[in-house]
Amino acid sequence: MRIETERLVIRNFKETDAAGLWDYLSHPRVNCFLNEKLNTFEDAIADVKIRSKDESQFAVCLKETDTVIGNLFAVKEEPDTYSVGWQFNEKYEGKGYASEAARAFLDYLFNDRNARRIYAYVEDYNVRSQKLCERLGMRREAFFIEFISFIQNPDGTPKYENTFEYAILKREWKKSK
């Protein structure tokens, strides 16, 4: 799979993407990605090998240099719904790359993969992702209180996080274009 936008390329991961992935997954900024934390560069090399074979994971790269600046994922739920998410290197924030990539990705899922519905989970403290969902025309459908735990409290008990669900239907996507 390959999607080109004005400034980006969205593609399958390659083994040469380890440095780019390491640059942001060595310190994930959002708790939900802590399970993807890379502790060594060797972990990054192993991770891109796995991602390169995973049809749900996609690298977001700068078109001019092919540098990985983030990733997108889409997990299909039968028959025609996708759960999506994204993670970007904070060094590239504020330039519109996440919006550009996510917009092209949703367009691909609706038009090439024939998605009917796309949704994303976003923690209540992740305001940047909430705003991205809203820029994409996604509506806030639900608010789950103490929905999931990715980290522990100082006493070792799970720290549960509140999570929003955003979604958009194909017919809504077409109207917004």
Side-chain angles (χ1 to χ4, degrees):
M1 189 276 296
R2 183 179 176 91
I3 301 168
E4 290 192 28
T5 68
E6 182 182 337
R7 304 175 296 166
L8 303 171
V9 172
I10 301 165
R11 59 165 173 74
N12 297 95
F13 275 91
K14 302 184 294 193
E15 291 188 22
T16 55
D17 294 332
L21 195 66
W22 167 254
D23 198 31
Y24 64 94
L25 280 186
S26 56
H27 302 307
R29 296 180 304 148
V30 181
N31 292 339
C32 68
F33 294 116
L34 286 176
N35 66 332
E36 295 182 12
K37 183 181 186 317
L38 300 172
N39 295 310
T40 66
F41 189 72
E42 289 72 30
D43 290 344
I45 293 168
D47 194 277
V48 294
K49 286 180 183 178
I50 293 167
R51 287 175 189 254
S52 69
K53 295 176 177 88
D54 185 341
E55 294 186 17
S56 68
Q57 293 283 332
F58 303 94
V60 178
C61 309
L62 294 175
K63 191 182 262 187
E64 290 185 8
T65 62
D66 201 39
T67 302
V68 174
I69 64 166
N71 65 279
L72 301 162
F73 65 84
V75 177
K76 185 175 184 184
E77 297 174 8
E78 293 300 329
D80 53 11
T81 296
Y82 285 85
S83 170
V84 298
W86 41 77
Q87 186 171 192
F88 285 86
N89 188 326
E90 68 182 317
K91 294 177 184 175
Y92 298 93
E93 278 184 359
K95 296 176 172 56
Y97 291 131
S99 291
E100 186 175 331
R103 188 169 308 284
F105 192 55
L106 266 60
D107 206 52
Y108 164 77
L109 292 172
F110 281 127
N111 295 320
D112 294 22
R113 294 274 182 98
N114 204 28
R116 178 190 59 83
R117 182 176 188 276
I118 295 173
Y119 73 93
Y121 289 127
V122 182
E123 285 69 39
D124 64 352
Y125 61 84
N126 191 345
V127 176
R128 283 187 179 273
S129 279
Q130 291 170 37
K131 288 182 178 180
L132 176 54
C133 287
E134 291 163 6
R135 281 194 304 277
L136 293 168
M138 299 175 89
R139 80 187 106 52
R140 190 181 291 179
E141 286 191 329
F143 183 54
F144 301 102
I145 306 295
E146 295 186 9
F147 183 59
I148 194 161
S149 175
F150 301 104
I151 60 173
Q152 294 182 336
N153 291 307
D155 67 1
T157 60
K159 179 179 181 180
Y160 288 97
E161 297 188 349
N162 301 329
T163 305
F164 292 110
E165 180 177 4
Y166 285 86
I168 189 167
L169 298 171
K170 185 173 190 171
R171 62 182 165 80
E172 295 169 322
W173 180 256
K174 286 182 174 184
K175 282 183 186 177
S176 71
K177 297 197 82 155

